Amino acid sequence: ADGQLALALQPSTDASSGAAVVDELAEVLTGGRVLAGGVTRAVAAAEYEAKLAATDADTALRHVLKVLSAAPEFHASTLAVPTGEARTAAAGVPSQGRSLRAVVLLWLPGGVDSYSMLVPYDGCSNNLRTQYEQVRTNVAFNLTRLLPIDASASSQPCARFGVHDQLPVLRDMYIDGDLAFVANIGALVEPIPNRSEYETGLYRRPPSLFAHNTQQRVAETVHAQESGANGIMSRLADAVASTSPPHRATAASMNGAATSMRGGVEVGYDILTPYGGVRQLVQLDAVRAALDSLNGGRTRALFSDTYGDAANEAVVRAEALGAALDESVLELPPFGSALDTSLARQLENAARLLDYHDRNGTERAFMVASRGGWDTHATNVLDPMFTDVSSSLAAFVAEVKAQGLWDNVLIVGASEFGRTLTSNGIGTDHAWGGNIFLAGGAVRGGRVLGKFPDDLTDSGPLALGRGRLIPTTSWEALWHGVAQWLDVDAADVATVLPNAANFDASQLFTAADLFEPDTPPDP
């Protein structure tokens, strides 16, 4: 009734003795690793007796269980023998006064039907608009549902493409020169020129093509053949934090754990939630003093000492992140609660962090926000999802512009793969190559990059059947240009993008391909 777990474990010893209770609990919970005379035993016993004096034995037992479960002996199989040295927080990287550059990955898991996001409109070679209508049948969008954009200067098969009418923010940013599309991009280990070469089996392919879980991992790590690869955002963050002098860098996910952020060594990532913001340790105030005592000193064993570092850092960083959000200032009215969607709330938190980072000397920031619901096997109704993306993104962009940071921010809107050009009768299925977008004040926008397929039929050179197209641009191409914009050292590109060496330089974007020169300029 009180929301607390019922205790099946009851000490058989004298409940009035903290030392006796802790000795018995420690035997069960840690296999006897809590040593007599050690820090953990003394702290836990004192916490039990203090709580017992103020409440009752049951409440005191619950409290000491929280304390013991936070002890290094509970989390590591080694003895936490103290060295006598105090544990101190690692010194932060000082700012060099370089301008903030932030990457916000707008992750759209589930496989967006991106050939409904960017569509042949008119002025097309090879009757591509007609092909689109004939191949897509009942999932095609007619011209009245499309917002035309000029691509005549982009060396694409159509003079104009259409953007889905529920994505007006993409059309508007494109016209303003702040957004570029990248056509037919997807997971590759090395270039695969066409279907005939694909069928020889001589070219290395990403594993488990068309499978959500694998392709999400591949797109978020950009190391297709390595299942345990660290996330692309974490590798970028580590790289900029390792330059000479290092950049002051941060990373955060707006919606829980994110594969794109996993594995950072130099830069760990903070986790927020859309509706809860920063999730700190439950009932932290009740155990904070005990935690400081338990993990305040270094220990001789590597595992227990590493745990102590991690536990301390988690508490301190959660408090600091909460304070950062509290201190942040929005220039426009809050939009997360007004739009009241998960994505809007995530992007509002991202905007708050951008304000904080800009005022506190952060030089490189990495963020990811996400919006699922794209696995449209049984529907072609995309309006609700596209509307959410457009309205949330428009509000975020307006706030970032009001902060004066639009030139400092890159938004990458991407999904793990495109969907079949052909209909399954109701919706569409998993495919390979798809279309994404890049947006920001520094982006050389108003262009369609990559190569939009000039044959959408199943007899086309890139077609594998069912309207599945081999990508002509790799994830490596995109992130190569982004890495340069972030000032990743050239020597570290092979670490950030292990497969980049498999592609010719002409198949990789440079910063000059994607961004205006020296935007934003460093002071």
Side-chain angles (χ1 to χ4, degrees):
D2 62 359
Q4 300 283 352
L5 290 175
L7 293 175
L9 174 65
Q10 294 289 340
S12 61
T13 190
D14 180 6
S16 66
S17 169
V21 169
V22 168
D23 285 347
E24 187 168 345
L25 291 176
E27 185 69 32
V28 175
L29 296 176
T30 71
R33 289 189 296 276
V34 174
L35 301 176
V39 172
T40 296
R41 184 176 185 272
V43 169
E47 288 287 320
Y48 176 86
E49 291 179 354
K51 185 65 71 173
L52 180 64
T55 57
D56 55 55
D58 213 38
T59 303
L61 183 60
R62 285 192 174 95
H63 178 72
V64 79
L65 284 169
K66 295 174 190 173
V67 173
L68 286 171
S69 66
E73 293 91 339
F74 184 78
H75 293 271
S77 58
T78 51
L79 298 177
V81 178
T83 65
E85 177 187 358
R87 190 183 307 278
T88 57
V93 174
S95 174
Q96 302 296 317
R98 293 169 289 205
S99 298
L100 172 68
R101 294 188 180 183
V103 179
V104 179
L105 173 59
L106 178 53
W107 180 235
L108 306 172
V112 174
D113 185 4
S114 54
Y115 283 98
S116 291
M117 179 176 73
L118 185 67
V119 179
Y121 193 86
D122 62 17
C124 302
S125 61
N126 202 26
N127 296 314
L128 198 62
R129 173 66 205 184
T130 301
Q131 277 189 26
Y132 166 82
E133 294 171 350
Q134 292 174 344
V135 170
R136 301 225 79 186
T137 61
N138 66 306
V139 297
F141 286 93
N142 62 41
L143 296 179
T144 63
R145 291 296 315 274
L146 300 174
L147 307 171
I149 57 172
D150 183 3
S152 57
S154 295
S155 301
Q156 298 294 344
C158 294
R160 291 199 298 176
F161 287 90
V163 176
H164 192 283
D165 65 0
Q166 297 305 304
L167 288 168
V169 69
L170 302 191
R171 185 275 311 269
D172 294 346
M173 288 193 289
Y174 183 96
I175 291 174
D176 290 343
D178 290 341
L179 181 142
F181 289 100
V182 182
N184 198 29
I185 188 171
L188 292 167
V189 177
E190 60 185 339
I192 302 178
N194 52 51
R195 179 182 60 208
S196 297
E197 298 290 353
Y198 173 91
E199 290 174 345
T200 66
L202 298 177
Y203 292 84
R204 290 171 290 175
R205 309 172 188 173
S208 301
L209 288 171
F210 322 127
H212 283 301
N213 57 343
T214 303
Q215 293 311 304
Q216 286 171 11
R217 187 264 300 164
V218 166
E220 290 184 89
T221 64
V222 193
H223 194 181
Q225 68 274 37
E226 179 53 61
S227 62
N230 292 338
I232 181 60
M233 298 282 270
S234 71
R235 296 205 304 274
L236 285 167
D238 278 354
V240 297
S242 301
T243 57
S244 182
H247 290 77
R248 186 173 182 177
T250 67
S253 168
M254 305 297 119
N255 194 21
T259 300
S260 61
M261 292 285 192
R262 77 183 184 190
V265 176
E266 299 295 330
V267 183
Y269 78 101
D270 298 307
I271 296 176
L272 290 78
T273 61
Y275 292 89
V278 181
R279 290 289 179 88
Q280 299 189 36
L281 189 65
V282 176
Q283 300 178 5
L284 174 62
D285 290 344
V287 295
R288 180 59 189 266
L291 291 182
D292 289 344
S293 298
L294 288 173
N295 298 305
R298 307 215 72 91
T299 63
R300 298 185 186 282
L302 175 63
F303 290 163
S304 62
D305 199 53
T306 300
Y307 165 76
D309 282 340
N312 270 14
E313 184 180 15
V315 172
V316 170
R317 285 178 61 158
E319 289 181 326
L321 189 60
L325 289 180
D326 291 342
E327 294 172 15
S328 65
V329 178
L330 294 180
E331 298 296 326
L332 302 177
F335 59 88
S337 56
L339 295 174
D340 197 24
T341 69
S342 172
L343 180 58
R345 290 175 181 271
Q346 291 175 60
L347 290 176
E348 181 181 308
N349 282 337
R352 290 183 180 278
L353 287 181
L354 285 171
D355 167 74
Y356 175 82
H357 290 321
D358 182 56
R359 289 187 290 105
N360 286 274
T362 300
E363 297 170 322
R364 298 293 181 264
F366 301 86
M367 304 181 193
V368 57
S370 61
R371 204 282 186 199
W374 303 98
D375 199 18
T376 51
H377 294 284
T379 183
N380 191 44
V381 179
L382 303 173
D383 290 14
M385 291 91 79
F386 280 161
T387 298
D388 183 20
V389 169
S390 190
S391 58
S392 300
L393 194 54
F396 174 71
V397 170
E399 172 60 35
V400 173
K401 287 181 176 180
Q403 292 178 9
L405 295 176
W406 185 228
D407 286 350
N408 305 69
V409 175
L410 168 67
I411 302 165
V412 179
S415 190
E416 68 264 33
F417 47 54
R419 303 193 74 81
T420 54
L421 291 167
T422 57
S423 169
N424 61 22
I426 306 175
T428 54
D429 299 321
H430 305 173
W432 195 353
N435 307 308
I436 70 166
F437 64 86
L438 311 176
V443 171
R444 287 183 59 202
R447 300 177 301 148
V448 179
L449 304 174
K451 183 63 176 175
F452 197 94
D454 58 9
D455 190 335
L456 302 178
T457 69
D458 272 352
S459 60
L462 300 175
L464 298 179
R466 287 290 323 280
R468 290 169 166 154
L469 301 178
I470 300 170
T472 44
T473 298
S474 65
W475 293 123
E476 282 76 9
L478 164 69
W479 292 108
H480 185 269
V482 174
Q484 289 187 349
W485 182 67
L486 293 169
D487 296 323
V488 171
D489 286 341
D492 290 333
V493 169
T495 300
V496 175
L497 298 169
N499 287 334
N502 300 335
F503 298 85
D504 186 79
S506 64
Q507 297 171 314
L508 300 171
F509 293 128
T510 65
D513 294 327
L514 302 181
F515 301 98
E516 300 292 348
D518 197 25
T519 307
D522 281 325

